Every structure is written in C-alpha cells, then in structure tokens.
Amino acid sequence: MPVLTQLRLDHANMARMLHVLQLKHKTLAGGERPNFQLVREVVDYILDYMEGFTLPLERLFSERLAEVDPDSRKVTERLAADYQALKAQLGRLSSDIDMILMDAVIPMDRFADDLKAYLDAHRAYLRDEQALLFPLIRRHFNEADMDRLAEALPEGAAAELERLQEVYPELYAELREAPEPA
C-alpha cells in the first residue's frame, strides 16, 4: 500500500524533526543556550505540517473509518484529542520561543520541561498511530479509499526535504545529521 508507505516515511521524517528538538533540549538541560532560531524553524515546520497535512488527513481517516467500522470511533477520537493536545503544547512552546527570541525573561527550566513533555507526547502519539490507526487502515480501506488518501498526501518525503533545504538550510543540515529513526 503506497499510502501507508508514505505515512511511514512521514512518521520517519517527523521522528527526525523530534530528534533535532531532542538535541536542543539536551543542550538546554546541560545549561547551555541552544540555537533558538533553529528551534523556531523546527516548531514552525511542525505547526505548518499539522495544519496543512495532518489535520485534514486525520478528518478523512476518521470519517471513512466511522462509515466502515463504527467501533473505530473510539480510536480515532482518542487520537484526535491527543493531537489537539499536542498542537496546544506546541503552540505554547512557539509563544515561549517568540518571547525568548525577543530577549524576554523566560524560565529556562520550565521551557526545558515543557519541551521534554512535548517531545514525549509527540513520540507517544506517533507510536499510537502506528499501533492503532495503521492496522485499521489496512483492514478497512479499499482501493478507492487509498486513492482518495493518496490525493490528500503531500508531494512526498523527498520533495519536502528539498523544500526544507531551500527554506531552512540550517534545519536541513541538522536533519541530515540526525540518525534514522528505528
């Protein structure tokens, strides 16, 4: 199923983004100031990705699954709630980064704790999607469903990485150094 392959690639790319943030968290936890402009780039990218890709695709999955397997609603509603919580966490981090970049006083220990909580939550969400949502898709989606999903997917991981290289060269360099997710 090419759609599931694309989703797995997107998960891998998101895991790499989270790894970059994890490295910045490690710097912060070590008492040093990370490159907050790079943190801003990662957060902006993830927020754009959530809004432009994940939320519309999530709606498509949820609606179709509800039609073919009403019991799946528990899973899709939980994932949707978890995703909204992630988006809110990331929004708070984004606001804090804005303040930091404007040289406002933000308690770095609180920021570090918030960043760690976000990273843990987003990784858990990705694991839950793979364990709970992907099997439902494999089981219930037919060829027409997969074609509709394919149309909703972005250009693909390779095209996205090319765009990142142009728009965020420093972030792209960090991503190239990030290990492949397991």
Side-chain angles (χ1 to χ4, degrees), residues 17-31:
M17 291 284 184
L18 296 177
H19 179 76
V20 170
L21 287 178
Q22 181 70 44
L23 293 175
K24 300 311 167 200
H25 174 266
K26 186 176 179 181
T27 299
L28 192 57

Side-chain angles (χ1 to χ4, degrees), residues 110-150:
R110 189 203 66 184
F111 180 80
D113 290 346
D114 290 348
L115 180 56
K116 174 89 168 84
Y118 165 75
L119 289 167
D120 291 345
H122 203 138
R123 286 186 177 118
Y125 177 83
L126 292 176
R127 283 189 305 271
D128 286 348
E129 259 195 345
Q130 289 176 340
L132 303 171
L133 183 62
F134 288 11
L136 288 171
I137 293 168
R138 275 193 302 273
R139 187 174 26 232
H140 296 296
F141 280 39
N142 60 33
E143 195 75 31
D145 295 325
M146 294 311 239
D147 289 345
R148 277 197 305 273
L149 290 174

